[in-house]
Amino acid sequence: MALTVRTRDIPKIPGAVKWYRVSAYVTGVLLLALAVEMVIKYTPLQLEMQLGNGPFFVPNGTAGETPGTFNLSTAILIAHGWLYVVYLFTDFRLWSIMRWRPTRFLLIALGGIIPFMSFVVEHRMQKLAMDTYHDLTAAQQREKEAAR
């Protein structure tokens, strides 16, 4: 038997969806930047990205060594890693409020490590959660009216 959303958790759904959507987009964009970084670093191009004085693309292993520069390649790696943890937290929060099956949690978690998947999964989970929210609030409204 499938679990349903607890009555006390219904008002939490829009907030959980909002934070999940934000983290999904941020994680997705950083994952795409990470994919670009990996392609230019580990293909015959052998380049890294840096910000500051000098060129944007520099030979592998030299990014951020010149004074006034910042190693953007490493920053993308670190930022994606930490923000993926935030993404997992928002994933868990939405999943636990909605009381979905465990495989759905894993599907959402994969969205943060497969390029472009976070955008697709975010769209579907957001729609599913908000449809459920609207159905539950409509049912609550009907119950209130019937009790009058």
Side-chain angles (χ1 to χ4, degrees):
M1 182 167 97
L3 297 174
T4 58
V5 178
R6 292 180 189 100
T7 304
R8 69 174 187 249
D9 289 338
I10 294 172
K12 297 177 186 177
I13 294 172
V17 168
K18 181 181 88 171
W19 283 109
Y20 167 68
R21 291 186 75 189
V22 169
S23 68
Y25 280 111
V26 170
T27 301
V29 168
L30 281 171
L31 183 58
L32 292 176
L34 180 62
V36 168
E37 194 272 331
M38 290 292 149
V39 167
I40 65 170
K41 186 173 186 174
Y42 295 112
T43 60
L45 295 173
Q46 296 286 307
L47 297 173
E48 284 186 316
M49 297 179 284
Q50 74 176 5
L51 293 176
N53 300 331
F56 184 72
F57 294 108
V58 295
N60 195 3
T62 62
E65 289 182 354
T66 307
T69 61
F70 177 74
N71 188 337
L72 184 60
S73 295
T74 301
I76 290 170
L77 288 165
I78 293 169
H80 173 69
W82 281 106
L83 291 171
Y84 180 68
V85 172
V86 173
Y87 175 77
L88 286 177
F89 174 76
T90 61
D91 168 11
F92 180 78
R93 183 168 181 252
L94 179 62
W95 172 80
S96 62
I97 288 171
M98 298 304 297
R99 300 180 77 186
W100 286 329
R101 60 189 187 279
T103 53
R104 187 161 290 160
F105 174 80
L106 296 175
L107 174 69
I108 299 171
L110 283 174
I113 58 175
I114 299 173
F116 294 106
M117 190 170 166
S118 68
F119 303 113
V120 174
V121 171
E122 177 277 327
H123 177 74
R124 290 185 180 166
M125 294 305 137
Q126 177 268 146
K127 181 169 178 12
L128 183 62
M130 292 310 292
D131 287 349
T132 303
Y133 171 73
H134 293 304
D135 291 345
L136 291 170
T137 54
Q140 282 182 330
Q141 188 64 32
R142 284 192 300 272
E143 287 175 11
K144 285 180 184 177
E145 290 173 3
R148 290 182 192 178

